[in-house]
Amino acid sequence: MNNLEQTLSIIKPDAVERNLNEKIKDIFTKNNLKIKDSKKIQITKDEAAEFYKVHQSKPFYNDLCTYLSSGPIEVIILEGENAVIANRNLMGATDPKKAEDNTIRKLYGISIDKNSVHGSDSNENAKKEIKFFFKN
Ligand code: UDP
Ligand code: MG
């Protein structure tokens, strides 16, 4: 292992609602990302607003926070070689229509907002996001 990392994945409400949790977690584990911890929770809109505050100036911010707090989610700590980018590659592009074949968003995403999964976009953000959900 040259660059063992952890990253945060969230299985979003649209995917939990369709019982896709196990299918999505299988994609991670089959691609050498270990599930170090996970829990099913539902967050408040205020918590979603805090989690997504980097997007606070974006036109989709309010709807995004409403959506992420609209139903149960599963938050997952993934660990593996270059886990941040490995997870982003498995997820595919933000817009499922533009996502590469066999990515999670291509397989399961409904739309640019209901795109089934979140993944940290950098090592620094991964650390912050893991702390946000797994405080210990
Ligand atoms: N999003 C949206 N409309 C957009 C762009 C993004 O609703 O035009 C939502 C979508 O759920 C996305 C999230 O906001 O996953 C965060 O956006 P980001 O650009 O960080 O995409 P990601 O990192 O999730 O691919
Ligand atoms: Mg992002």
mmCIF file of all heavy atoms in Angstrom, residues 41-89:
data_model
loop_
_atom_site.group_PDB
_atom_site.id
_atom_site.type_symbol
_atom_site.label_atom_id
_atom_site.label_comp_id
_atom_site.label_asym_id
_atom_site.label_seq_id
_atom_site.Cartn_x
_atom_site.Cartn_y
_atom_site.Cartn_z
ATOM 1 N N ILE A 41 -28.820 6.831 8.850
ATOM 2 C CA ILE A 41 -29.304 7.943 9.665
ATOM 3 C C ILE A 41 -30.237 8.803 8.822
ATOM 4 O O ILE A 41 -30.333 8.620 7.605
ATOM 5 C CB ILE A 41 -28.129 8.834 10.169
ATOM 6 C CG1 ILE A 41 -27.293 9.356 8.982
ATOM 7 C CG2 ILE A 41 -27.258 8.075 11.155
ATOM 8 C CD1 ILE A 41 -26.218 10.362 9.382
ATOM 9 N N GLN A 42 -30.914 9.723 9.483
ATOM 10 C CA GLN A 42 -31.579 10.797 8.734
ATOM 11 C C GLN A 42 -31.125 12.106 9.362
ATOM 12 O O GLN A 42 -31.102 12.237 10.587
ATOM 13 C CB GLN A 42 -33.112 10.658 8.785
ATOM 14 C CG GLN A 42 -33.779 11.748 7.937
ATOM 15 C CD GLN A 42 -35.224 11.457 7.544
ATOM 16 O OE1 GLN A 42 -35.770 10.389 7.862
ATOM 17 N NE2 GLN A 42 -35.848 12.403 6.860
ATOM 18 N N ILE A 43 -30.722 13.051 8.549
ATOM 19 C CA ILE A 43 -30.214 14.314 9.075
ATOM 20 C C ILE A 43 -31.256 15.421 8.907
ATOM 21 O O ILE A 43 -32.173 15.311 8.089
ATOM 22 C CB ILE A 43 -28.866 14.715 8.418
ATOM 23 C CG1 ILE A 43 -29.007 14.910 6.906
ATOM 24 C CG2 ILE A 43 -27.795 13.676 8.743
ATOM 25 C CD1 ILE A 43 -27.733 15.480 6.248
ATOM 26 N N THR A 44 -31.085 16.480 9.682
ATOM 27 C CA THR A 44 -31.985 17.632 9.580
ATOM 28 C C THR A 44 -31.528 18.518 8.421
ATOM 29 O O THR A 44 -30.392 18.405 7.941
ATOM 30 C CB THR A 44 -31.950 18.474 10.863
ATOM 31 O OG1 THR A 44 -30.625 19.024 11.004
ATOM 32 C CG2 THR A 44 -32.292 17.634 12.095
ATOM 33 N N LYS A 45 -32.408 19.414 8.021
ATOM 34 C CA LYS A 45 -32.030 20.344 6.956
ATOM 35 C C LYS A 45 -30.856 21.229 7.396
ATOM 36 O O LYS A 45 -29.968 21.523 6.593
ATOM 37 C CB LYS A 45 -33.226 21.190 6.524
ATOM 38 C CG LYS A 45 -32.879 22.033 5.309
ATOM 39 C CD LYS A 45 -34.062 22.655 4.630
ATOM 40 C CE LYS A 45 -33.557 23.551 3.515
ATOM 41 N NZ LYS A 45 -34.635 24.276 2.845
ATOM 42 N N ASP A 46 -30.833 21.608 8.670
ATOM 43 C CA ASP A 46 -29.709 22.410 9.179
ATOM 44 C C ASP A 46 -28.385 21.649 9.076
ATOM 45 O O ASP A 46 -27.350 22.237 8.738
ATOM 46 C CB ASP A 46 -29.936 22.819 10.641
ATOM 47 C CG ASP A 46 -30.910 23.977 10.761
ATOM 48 O OD1 ASP A 46 -31.297 24.562 9.720
ATOM 49 O OD2 ASP A 46 -31.303 24.290 11.901
ATOM 50 N N GLU A 47 -28.426 20.372 9.393
ATOM 51 C CA GLU A 47 -27.201 19.560 9.279
ATOM 52 C C GLU A 47 -26.766 19.434 7.818
ATOM 53 O O GLU A 47 -25.570 19.515 7.508
ATOM 54 C CB GLU A 47 -27.422 18.171 9.895
ATOM 55 C CG GLU A 47 -27.500 18.207 11.409
ATOM 56 C CD GLU A 47 -27.983 16.895 12.020
ATOM 57 O OE1 GLU A 47 -28.856 16.208 11.436
ATOM 58 O OE2 GLU A 47 -27.486 16.562 13.116
ATOM 59 N N ALA A 48 -27.739 19.255 6.926
ATOM 60 C CA ALA A 48 -27.415 19.177 5.494
ATOM 61 C C ALA A 48 -26.803 20.495 5.025
ATOM 62 O O ALA A 48 -25.837 20.509 4.252
ATOM 63 C CB ALA A 48 -28.671 18.842 4.688
ATOM 64 N N ALA A 49 -27.333 21.597 5.517
ATOM 65 C CA ALA A 49 -26.830 22.923 5.133
ATOM 66 C C ALA A 49 -25.381 23.099 5.591
ATOM 67 O O ALA A 49 -24.550 23.684 4.889
ATOM 68 C CB ALA A 49 -27.721 24.005 5.730
ATOM 69 N N GLU A 50 -25.082 22.575 6.783
ATOM 70 C CA GLU A 50 -23.709 22.635 7.305
ATOM 71 C C GLU A 50 -22.786 21.741 6.464
ATOM 72 O O GLU A 50 -21.694 22.160 6.050
ATOM 73 C CB GLU A 50 -23.746 22.185 8.779
ATOM 74 C CG GLU A 50 -22.394 22.100 9.461
ATOM 75 C CD GLU A 50 -21.715 23.453 9.622
ATOM 76 O OE1 GLU A 50 -22.404 24.486 9.595
ATOM 77 O OE2 GLU A 50 -20.471 23.457 9.749
ATOM 78 N N PHE A 51 -23.253 20.535 6.185
ATOM 79 C CA PHE A 51 -22.438 19.590 5.417
ATOM 80 C C PHE A 51 -22.106 20.125 4.025
ATOM 81 O O PHE A 51 -20.982 19.991 3.542
ATOM 82 C CB PHE A 51 -23.178 18.249 5.295
ATOM 83 C CG PHE A 51 -22.402 17.227 4.513
ATOM 84 C CD1 PHE A 51 -21.307 16.579 5.082
ATOM 85 C CD2 PHE A 51 -22.728 16.946 3.200
ATOM 86 C CE1 PHE A 51 -20.564 15.666 4.355
ATOM 87 C CE2 PHE A 51 -21.988 16.024 2.463
ATOM 88 C CZ PHE A 51 -20.910 15.385 3.043
ATOM 89 N N TYR A 52 -23.099 20.750 3.376
ATOM 90 C CA TYR A 52 -22.924 21.209 1.994
ATOM 91 C C TYR A 52 -22.610 22.707 1.917
ATOM 92 O O TYR A 52 -22.824 23.320 0.868
ATOM 93 C CB TYR A 52 -24.188 20.914 1.189
ATOM 94 C CG TYR A 52 -24.202 19.552 0.499
ATOM 95 C CD1 TYR A 52 -25.311 18.719 0.598
ATOM 96 C CD2 TYR A 52 -23.130 19.118 -0.294
ATOM 97 C CE1 TYR A 52 -25.347 17.479 -0.059
ATOM 98 C CE2 TYR A 52 -23.162 17.891 -0.948
ATOM 99 C CZ TYR A 52 -24.267 17.080 -0.830
ATOM 100 O OH TYR A 52 -24.296 15.874 -1.492
ATOM 101 N N LYS A 53 -22.070 23.283 3.005
ATOM 102 C CA LYS A 53 -21.934 24.749 2.993
ATOM 103 C C LYS A 53 -20.978 25.295 1.922
ATOM 104 O O LYS A 53 -21.104 26.446 1.524
ATOM 105 C CB LYS A 53 -21.662 25.307 4.379
ATOM 106 C CG LYS A 53 -20.287 25.197 4.905
ATOM 107 C CD LYS A 53 -20.172 25.935 6.239
ATOM 108 C CE LYS A 53 -18.783 25.656 6.758
ATOM 109 N NZ LYS A 53 -18.740 25.170 8.111
ATOM 110 N N VAL A 54 -20.052 24.460 1.404
ATOM 111 C CA VAL A 54 -19.227 24.929 0.271
ATOM 112 C C VAL A 54 -20.087 25.332 -0.932
ATOM 113 O O VAL A 54 -19.641 26.088 -1.783
ATOM 114 C CB VAL A 54 -18.193 23.885 -0.232
ATOM 115 C CG1 VAL A 54 -17.122 23.616 0.791
ATOM 116 C CG2 VAL A 54 -18.846 22.603 -0.696
ATOM 117 N N HIS A 55 -21.302 24.825 -0.971
ATOM 118 C CA HIS A 55 -22.190 25.126 -2.108
ATOM 119 C C HIS A 55 -23.205 26.220 -1.794
ATOM 120 O O HIS A 55 -24.167 26.407 -2.533
ATOM 121 C CB HIS A 55 -22.946 23.857 -2.526
ATOM 122 C CG HIS A 55 -22.074 22.808 -3.136
ATOM 123 N ND1 HIS A 55 -21.266 23.042 -4.221
ATOM 124 C CD2 HIS A 55 -21.871 21.502 -2.811
ATOM 125 C CE1 HIS A 55 -20.602 21.926 -4.529
ATOM 126 N NE2 HIS A 55 -20.950 20.994 -3.686
ATOM 127 N N GLN A 56 -22.980 26.958 -0.683
ATOM 128 C CA GLN A 56 -24.053 27.861 -0.235
ATOM 129 C C GLN A 56 -24.405 28.969 -1.229
ATOM 130 O O GLN A 56 -25.527 29.478 -1.189
ATOM 131 C CB GLN A 56 -23.773 28.431 1.162
ATOM 132 C CG GLN A 56 -22.538 29.276 1.303
ATOM 133 C CD GLN A 56 -22.210 29.510 2.778
ATOM 134 O OE1 GLN A 56 -23.034 29.342 3.654
ATOM 135 N NE2 GLN A 56 -20.978 29.888 3.047
ATOM 136 N N SER A 57 -23.472 29.308 -2.104
ATOM 137 C CA SER A 57 -23.781 30.370 -3.073
ATOM 138 C C SER A 57 -24.416 29.827 -4.363
ATOM 139 O O SER A 57 -24.793 30.604 -5.246
ATOM 140 C CB SER A 57 -22.494 31.120 -3.426
ATOM 141 O OG SER A 57 -21.608 30.219 -4.056
ATOM 142 N N LYS A 58 -24.549 28.523 -4.465
ATOM 143 C CA LYS A 58 -25.060 27.928 -5.714
ATOM 144 C C LYS A 58 -26.587 27.981 -5.766
ATOM 145 O O LYS A 58 -27.251 27.879 -4.729
ATOM 146 C CB LYS A 58 -24.623 26.454 -5.831
ATOM 147 C CG LYS A 58 -23.148 26.190 -5.642
ATOM 148 C CD LYS A 58 -22.377 26.249 -6.959
ATOM 149 C CE LYS A 58 -20.882 26.147 -6.731
ATOM 150 N NZ LYS A 58 -20.471 24.843 -6.191
ATOM 151 N N PRO A 59 -27.129 28.082 -6.969
ATOM 152 C CA PRO A 59 -28.595 28.158 -7.089
ATOM 153 C C PRO A 59 -29.303 26.893 -6.602
ATOM 154 O O PRO A 59 -30.454 26.969 -6.169
ATOM 155 C CB PRO A 59 -28.823 28.346 -8.600
ATOM 156 C CG PRO A 59 -27.540 27.978 -9.257
ATOM 157 C CD PRO A 59 -26.451 28.220 -8.264
ATOM 158 N N PHE A 60 -28.609 25.750 -6.609
ATOM 159 C CA PHE A 60 -29.254 24.496 -6.209
ATOM 160 C C PHE A 60 -29.113 24.185 -4.711
ATOM 161 O O PHE A 60 -29.590 23.154 -4.244
ATOM 162 C CB PHE A 60 -28.710 23.322 -7.047
ATOM 163 C CG PHE A 60 -27.205 23.131 -6.979
ATOM 164 C CD1 PHE A 60 -26.615 22.458 -5.921
ATOM 165 C CD2 PHE A 60 -26.384 23.638 -7.986
ATOM 166 C CE1 PHE A 60 -25.236 22.280 -5.851
ATOM 167 C CE2 PHE A 60 -24.995 23.453 -7.932
ATOM 168 C CZ PHE A 60 -24.425 22.768 -6.855
ATOM 169 N N TYR A 61 -28.470 25.102 -3.957
ATOM 170 C CA TYR A 61 -28.131 24.799 -2.553
ATOM 171 C C TYR A 61 -29.351 24.472 -1.693
ATOM 172 O O TYR A 61 -29.379 23.463 -0.990
ATOM 173 C CB TYR A 61 -27.370 25.988 -1.967
ATOM 174 C CG TYR A 61 -26.977 25.862 -0.514
ATOM 175 C CD1 TYR A 61 -26.102 24.872 -0.083
ATOM 176 C CD2 TYR A 61 -27.467 26.762 0.440
ATOM 177 C CE1 TYR A 61 -25.727 24.774 1.248
ATOM 178 C CE2 TYR A 61 -27.086 26.673 1.764
ATOM 179 C CZ TYR A 61 -26.218 25.677 2.168
ATOM 180 O OH TYR A 61 -25.848 25.597 3.481
ATOM 181 N N ASN A 62 -30.373 25.299 -1.747
ATOM 182 C CA ASN A 62 -31.536 25.071 -0.886
ATOM 183 C C ASN A 62 -32.221 23.741 -1.205
ATOM 184 O O ASN A 62 -32.522 22.953 -0.301
ATOM 185 C CB ASN A 62 -32.521 26.240 -1.008
ATOM 186 C CG ASN A 62 -33.671 26.083 -0.029
ATOM 187 O OD1 ASN A 62 -33.461 25.954 1.181
ATOM 188 N ND2 ASN A 62 -34.892 26.032 -0.552
ATOM 189 N N ASP A 63 -32.423 23.476 -2.478
ATOM 190 C CA ASP A 63 -33.053 22.207 -2.874
ATOM 191 C C ASP A 63 -32.180 21.009 -2.486
ATOM 192 O O ASP A 63 -32.694 19.969 -2.079
ATOM 193 C CB ASP A 63 -33.285 22.163 -4.393
ATOM 194 C CG ASP A 63 -34.429 23.060 -4.834
ATOM 195 O OD1 ASP A 63 -35.185 23.535 -3.955
ATOM 196 O OD2 ASP A 63 -34.565 23.293 -6.051
ATOM 197 N N LEU A 64 -30.887 21.178 -2.609
ATOM 198 C CA LEU A 64 -29.950 20.098 -2.263
ATOM 199 C C LEU A 64 -30.055 19.752 -0.773
ATOM 200 O O LEU A 64 -30.091 18.571 -0.397
ATOM 201 C CB LEU A 64 -28.526 20.561 -2.613
ATOM 202 C CG LEU A 64 -27.361 19.656 -2.241
ATOM 203 C CD1 LEU A 64 -27.470 18.303 -2.926
ATOM 204 C CD2 LEU A 64 -26.028 20.332 -2.616
ATOM 205 N N CYS A 65 -30.134 20.780 0.063
ATOM 206 C CA CYS A 65 -30.230 20.549 1.514
ATOM 207 C C CYS A 65 -31.581 19.936 1.875
ATOM 208 O O CYS A 65 -31.658 19.052 2.733
ATOM 209 C CB CYS A 65 -29.989 21.851 2.270
ATOM 210 S SG CYS A 65 -28.338 22.500 1.956
ATOM 211 N N THR A 66 -32.636 20.407 1.228
ATOM 212 C CA THR A 66 -33.966 19.812 1.448
ATOM 213 C C THR A 66 -33.933 18.332 1.064
ATOM 214 O O THR A 66 -34.414 17.465 1.788
ATOM 215 C CB THR A 66 -35.025 20.543 0.592
ATOM 216 O OG1 THR A 66 -35.030 21.907 0.989
ATOM 217 C CG2 THR A 66 -36.415 19.950 0.787
ATOM 218 N N TYR A 67 -33.333 18.075 -0.080
ATOM 219 C CA TYR A 67 -33.273 16.694 -0.587
ATOM 220 C C TYR A 67 -32.474 15.764 0.326
ATOM 221 O O TYR A 67 -32.934 14.670 0.685
ATOM 222 C CB TYR A 67 -32.689 16.695 -2.012
ATOM 223 C CG TYR A 67 -32.326 15.321 -2.457
ATOM 224 C CD1 TYR A 67 -33.307 14.333 -2.560
ATOM 225 C CD2 TYR A 67 -31.007 14.974 -2.696
ATOM 226 C CE1 TYR A 67 -32.972 13.049 -2.905
ATOM 227 C CE2 TYR A 67 -30.673 13.695 -3.048
ATOM 228 C CZ TYR A 67 -31.659 12.730 -3.144
ATOM 229 O OH TYR A 67 -31.314 11.454 -3.463
ATOM 230 N N LEU A 68 -31.267 16.179 0.723
ATOM 231 C CA LEU A 68 -30.415 15.279 1.522
ATOM 232 C C LEU A 68 -31.046 14.964 2.880
ATOM 233 O O LEU A 68 -30.760 13.929 3.480
ATOM 234 C CB LEU A 68 -29.007 15.857 1.714
ATOM 235 C CG LEU A 68 -27.971 14.814 2.168
ATOM 236 C CD1 LEU A 68 -27.625 13.840 1.038
ATOM 237 C CD2 LEU A 68 -26.708 15.450 2.721
ATOM 238 N N SER A 69 -31.927 15.863 3.347
ATOM 239 C CA SER A 69 -32.578 15.637 4.637
ATOM 240 C C SER A 69 -33.981 15.036 4.477
ATOM 241 O O SER A 69 -34.701 14.866 5.461
ATOM 242 C CB SER A 69 -32.646 16.959 5.410
ATOM 243 O OG SER A 69 -33.335 17.945 4.656
ATOM 244 N N SER A 70 -34.341 14.677 3.255
ATOM 245 C CA SER A 70 -35.735 14.258 2.995
ATOM 246 C C SER A 70 -36.033 12.807 3.377
ATOM 247 O O SER A 70 -37.196 12.404 3.410
ATOM 248 C CB SER A 70 -36.053 14.449 1.499
ATOM 249 O OG SER A 70 -35.296 13.533 0.721
ATOM 250 N N GLY A 71 -35.005 12.017 3.633
ATOM 251 C CA GLY A 71 -35.229 10.611 3.973
ATOM 252 C C GLY A 71 -33.948 10.008 4.482
ATOM 253 O O GLY A 71 -32.918 10.680 4.543
ATOM 254 N N PRO A 72 -33.988 8.717 4.851
ATOM 255 C CA PRO A 72 -32.792 8.065 5.373
ATOM 256 C C PRO A 72 -31.656 8.039 4.352
ATOM 257 O O PRO A 72 -31.896 7.972 3.141
ATOM 258 C CB PRO A 72 -33.265 6.636 5.669
ATOM 259 C CG PRO A 72 -34.741 6.697 5.713
ATOM 260 C CD PRO A 72 -35.158 7.834 4.835
ATOM 261 N N ILE A 73 -30.449 8.117 4.888
ATOM 262 C CA ILE A 73 -29.226 7.993 4.088
ATOM 263 C C ILE A 73 -28.318 6.976 4.788
ATOM 264 O O ILE A 73 -28.558 6.639 5.949
ATOM 265 C CB ILE A 73 -28.470 9.350 3.954
ATOM 266 C CG1 ILE A 73 -28.079 9.915 5.331
ATOM 267 C CG2 ILE A 73 -29.320 10.357 3.178
ATOM 268 C CD1 ILE A 73 -27.229 11.196 5.274
ATOM 269 N N GLU A 74 -27.322 6.482 4.085
ATOM 270 C CA GLU A 74 -26.296 5.671 4.744
ATOM 271 C C GLU A 74 -24.968 6.361 4.546
ATOM 272 O O GLU A 74 -24.592 6.667 3.403
ATOM 273 C CB GLU A 74 -26.282 4.236 4.188
ATOM 274 C CG GLU A 74 -25.278 3.361 4.946
ATOM 275 C CD GLU A 74 -25.433 1.865 4.700
ATOM 276 O OE1 GLU A 74 -26.394 1.452 4.024
ATOM 277 O OE2 GLU A 74 -24.559 1.122 5.191
ATOM 278 N N VAL A 75 -24.289 6.634 5.647
ATOM 279 C CA VAL A 75 -22.965 7.262 5.576
ATOM 280 C C VAL A 75 -21.912 6.187 5.828
ATOM 281 O O VAL A 75 -22.068 5.344 6.713
ATOM 282 C CB VAL A 75 -22.813 8.444 6.572
ATOM 283 C CG1 VAL A 75 -23.664 9.612 6.136
ATOM 284 C CG2 VAL A 75 -23.154 8.053 7.995
ATOM 285 N N ILE A 76 -20.871 6.209 5.018
ATOM 286 C CA ILE A 76 -19.907 5.101 4.975
ATOM 287 C C ILE A 76 -18.479 5.645 4.946
ATOM 288 O O ILE A 76 -18.170 6.528 4.141
ATOM 289 C CB ILE A 76 -20.121 4.254 3.700
ATOM 290 C CG1 ILE A 76 -21.553 3.731 3.634
ATOM 291 C CG2 ILE A 76 -19.119 3.108 3.623
ATOM 292 C CD1 ILE A 76 -21.935 3.175 2.256
ATOM 293 N N ILE A 77 -17.631 5.084 5.797
ATOM 294 C CA ILE A 77 -16.188 5.360 5.682
ATOM 295 C C ILE A 77 -15.571 4.260 4.821
ATOM 296 O O ILE A 77 -15.640 3.082 5.170
ATOM 297 C CB ILE A 77 -15.491 5.374 7.053
ATOM 298 C CG1 ILE A 77 -16.103 6.426 7.976
ATOM 299 C CG2 ILE A 77 -13.978 5.616 6.874
ATOM 300 C CD1 ILE A 77 -15.535 6.415 9.403
ATOM 301 N N LEU A 78 -15.016 4.667 3.684
ATOM 302 C CA LEU A 78 -14.330 3.737 2.793
ATOM 303 C C LEU A 78 -12.833 3.877 2.979
ATOM 304 O O LEU A 78 -12.335 4.994 3.169
ATOM 305 C CB LEU A 78 -14.667 4.061 1.329
ATOM 306 C CG LEU A 78 -16.120 3.870 0.903
ATOM 307 C CD1 LEU A 78 -16.317 4.396 -0.519
ATOM 308 C CD2 LEU A 78 -16.527 2.407 1.005
ATOM 309 N N GLU A 79 -12.127 2.773 2.915
ATOM 310 C CA GLU A 79 -10.668 2.813 3.042
ATOM 311 C C GLU A 79 -10.022 1.968 1.958
ATOM 312 O O GLU A 79 -10.486 0.856 1.679
ATOM 313 C CB GLU A 79 -10.240 2.284 4.414
ATOM 314 C CG GLU A 79 -8.751 2.455 4.669
ATOM 315 C CD GLU A 79 -8.354 1.945 6.038
ATOM 316 O OE1 GLU A 79 -8.491 2.694 7.020
ATOM 317 O OE2 GLU A 79 -7.920 0.777 6.114
ATOM 318 N N GLY A 80 -8.968 2.499 1.373
ATOM 319 C CA GLY A 80 -8.230 1.746 0.356
ATOM 320 C C GLY A 80 -7.166 2.613 -0.277
ATOM 321 O O GLY A 80 -7.000 3.791 0.065
ATOM 322 N N GLU A 81 -6.464 2.007 -1.216
ATOM 323 C CA GLU A 81 -5.420 2.701 -1.968
ATOM 324 C C GLU A 81 -6.061 3.861 -2.745
ATOM 325 O O GLU A 81 -7.026 3.635 -3.495
ATOM 326 C CB GLU A 81 -4.797 1.652 -2.910
ATOM 327 C CG GLU A 81 -3.628 2.118 -3.709
ATOM 328 C CD GLU A 81 -2.351 2.240 -2.906
ATOM 329 O OE1 GLU A 81 -2.308 1.832 -1.736
ATOM 330 O OE2 GLU A 81 -1.387 2.772 -3.456
ATOM 331 N N ASN A 82 -5.568 5.059 -2.548
ATOM 332 C CA ASN A 82 -6.109 6.253 -3.240
ATOM 333 C C ASN A 82 -7.641 6.301 -3.184
ATOM 334 O O ASN A 82 -8.314 6.527 -4.203
ATOM 335 C CB ASN A 82 -5.633 6.289 -4.698
ATOM 336 C CG ASN A 82 -4.127 6.350 -4.803
ATOM 337 O OD1 ASN A 82 -3.487 7.139 -4.110
ATOM 338 N ND2 ASN A 82 -3.533 5.501 -5.618
ATOM 339 N N ALA A 83 -8.176 6.095 -1.996
ATOM 340 C CA ALA A 83 -9.631 5.903 -1.837
ATOM 341 C C ALA A 83 -10.460 7.078 -2.354
ATOM 342 O O ALA A 83 -11.556 6.873 -2.887
ATOM 343 C CB ALA A 83 -9.965 5.631 -0.370
ATOM 344 N N VAL A 84 -9.941 8.301 -2.214
ATOM 345 C CA VAL A 84 -10.741 9.467 -2.621
ATOM 346 C C VAL A 84 -11.027 9.405 -4.115
ATOM 347 O O VAL A 84 -12.191 9.430 -4.544
ATOM 348 C CB VAL A 84 -10.040 10.792 -2.245
ATOM 349 C CG1 VAL A 84 -10.768 11.979 -2.859
ATOM 350 C CG2 VAL A 84 -9.965 10.935 -0.723
ATOM 351 N N ILE A 85 -9.981 9.268 -4.904
ATOM 352 C CA ILE A 85 -10.155 9.266 -6.363
ATOM 353 C C ILE A 85 -10.772 7.943 -6.829
ATOM 354 O O ILE A 85 -11.592 7.927 -7.760
ATOM 355 C CB ILE A 85 -8.823 9.599 -7.093
ATOM 356 C CG1 ILE A 85 -9.053 9.832 -8.595
ATOM 357 C CG2 ILE A 85 -7.766 8.543 -6.894
ATOM 358 C CD1 ILE A 85 -9.737 11.113 -8.917
ATOM 359 N N ALA A 86 -10.424 6.855 -6.153
ATOM 360 C CA ALA A 86 -11.011 5.551 -6.522
ATOM 361 C C ALA A 86 -12.535 5.604 -6.372
ATOM 362 O O ALA A 86 -13.274 5.150 -7.258
ATOM 363 C CB ALA A 86 -10.423 4.445 -5.652
ATOM 364 N N ASN A 87 -12.996 6.188 -5.272
ATOM 365 C CA ASN A 87 -14.452 6.310 -5.070
ATOM 366 C C ASN A 87 -15.071 7.239 -6.100
ATOM 367 O O ASN A 87 -16.126 6.937 -6.670
ATOM 368 C CB ASN A 87 -14.734 6.796 -3.645
ATOM 369 C CG ASN A 87 -16.218 6.982 -3.392
ATOM 370 O OD1 ASN A 87 -17.033 6.149 -3.782
ATOM 371 N ND2 ASN A 87 -16.581 8.088 -2.747
ATOM 372 N N ARG A 88 -14.422 8.366 -6.379
ATOM 373 C CA ARG A 88 -14.953 9.300 -7.384
ATOM 374 C C ARG A 88 -15.064 8.603 -8.751
ATOM 375 O O ARG A 88 -16.032 8.819 -9.478
ATOM 376 C CB ARG A 88 -14.056 10.541 -7.514
ATOM 377 C CG ARG A 88 -13.999 11.450 -6.303
ATOM 378 C CD ARG A 88 -15.259 12.205 -5.980
ATOM 379 N NE ARG A 88 -15.811 12.959 -7.064
ATOM 380 C CZ ARG A 88 -16.829 13.841 -6.918
ATOM 381 N NH1 ARG A 88 -17.361 14.078 -5.726
ATOM 382 N NH2 ARG A 88 -17.310 14.468 -7.947
ATOM 383 N N ASN A 89 -14.095 7.781 -9.077
ATOM 384 C CA ASN A 89 -14.151 7.063 -10.356
ATOM 385 C C ASN A 89 -15.298 6.056 -10.383
ATOM 386 O O ASN A 89 -15.961 5.897 -11.412
ATOM 387 C CB ASN A 89 -12.822 6.358 -10.628
ATOM 388 C CG ASN A 89 -11.719 7.348 -10.964
ATOM 389 O OD1 ASN A 89 -11.985 8.487 -11.372
ATOM 390 N ND2 ASN A 89 -10.473 6.941 -10.778
#
